[in-house]
Amino acid sequence: MPAAAAAAAPPNPNVLQLAPRLRGLVSFPSSYSSSSPFSNRLRLPRAASMSAEARVPVAPPAHPTYDLKAVINLALSEDAGDRGDVSCLATIPSDVKAEATFIAKEDGVVAGISLADMIFKQVDPSLKVEWFESDGNYVHKGLQFGRVYGCARNIIVAERVVLNFMQRMSGIATMTKAMADAAHPACILETRKTAPGLRLVDKWAVLIGGGKNHRIGLFDMVMIKDNHISVAGGITNAMKFVDRFLAKEKLALPVEVETRTLQEVKDLLEYAAENNTSLTRIMLDNMVVPLGNGDIDVSMLKDAVELINGRFETEASGNVTIDTVKKIGETGVTYISSGALTHSVKALDISLKIDTELALQVGRRTNRA
């Protein structure tokens, strides 16, 4: 390692622990500073200044045990293995600086900017990141919406991990925005059908897209579903057991019960009228019936909403798509939940390029810029 590099401030030790040879990817010349010109930086045209819509940053959902930094480290470790980035080690001197630009390759809602900042910081706190848009803003194909500059090796080490998170989150946010707008005045929710290990990341993207979070996990809401009801011996027994459990444990948690028929709705309402219950929401599951012509029949869902008559929150679930959500929202339900927001989302195409002009030329040739 050059003497000048050895004298530089050490990078984040958490990243160095990912792979012994990753240390070679984070060395800086001692003359480097964020305010001085980069003598070794690859100088490329900067994106034109853009006025982004100002937004209050959306915080990730709270969770008692989820460690977002550990998730980032795992993603970086996946790439680094036990050698680090051998391609960078082979081709890029440790003291070379570069500037890379984020380019949207299709239209959508951008999400994951705050998470990208965290990733760059964990890889190398000396990297300088600048954004022209905020989480939740709409971006169009070809838009240059951010840039990062500093050690070229470290930008490339972080590149794919940053893009993997941002593309998935932006895809979720884009679909959420479309469904939330169509569902109004009902609120759109996701479910627990998230990518394993990415529960908070997926649910964070839903918030950025304008949706609301359903329960985060098994711990923050009592949700009695069909299997619980079957084992408990019916919907009334299940609700009775929940009320007893919460009273015994002195727990104050929201309680939702899934109903599949109008009779189950009536039984649940009858129990609630006769007992001091903790019930807060009734799920109306698969009461949206698909028709052969591509339309849906929501008459059963409307009947259920009328039976409940505002006594409890309501949630429609099942057969929810971008094509059906507007009609479902018009029935008067409080919430509409859709697993499709996260379990089968299409990622939004985003790239991070050092040679921006060439990247845009290629993008235009392939209709992606």
Side-chain angles (χ1 to χ4, degrees), residues 287-362:
M287 295 189 187
V288 174
V289 181
L291 302 175
N293 62 0
D295 199 0
I296 53 171
D297 179 0
V298 295
S299 57
M300 183 179 180
L301 181 62
K302 283 184 178 178
D303 290 344
V305 170
E306 289 174 6
L307 279 173
I308 296 165
N309 194 28
R311 283 174 281 181
F312 300 97
E313 295 175 344
T314 53
E315 178 186 331
S317 178
N319 294 308
V320 178
T321 69
I322 189 62
D323 297 318
T324 63
V325 70
K326 184 177 188 298
K327 194 168 184 177
I328 296 170
E330 291 170 347
T331 63
V333 292
T334 319
Y335 298 104
I336 303 171
S337 57
S338 172
L341 290 180
T342 54
H343 71 54
S344 55
V345 67
K346 178 186 177 294
L348 190 74
D349 199 359
I350 298 170
S351 64
L352 179 63
K353 296 298 183 182
I354 291 174
D355 191 338
T356 307
E357 291 305 315
L358 180 57
L360 287 171
Q361 287 178 29
V362 174

Side-chain angles (χ1 to χ4, degrees), residues 222-242:
V222 178
M223 187 167 175
I224 304 305
K225 294 178 67 67
D226 51 0
N227 286 334
H228 301 104
I229 292 168
S230 297
V231 174
I235 201 163
T236 300
N237 278 348
M239 192 65 242
K240 187 187 305 179
F241 296 156
V242 169

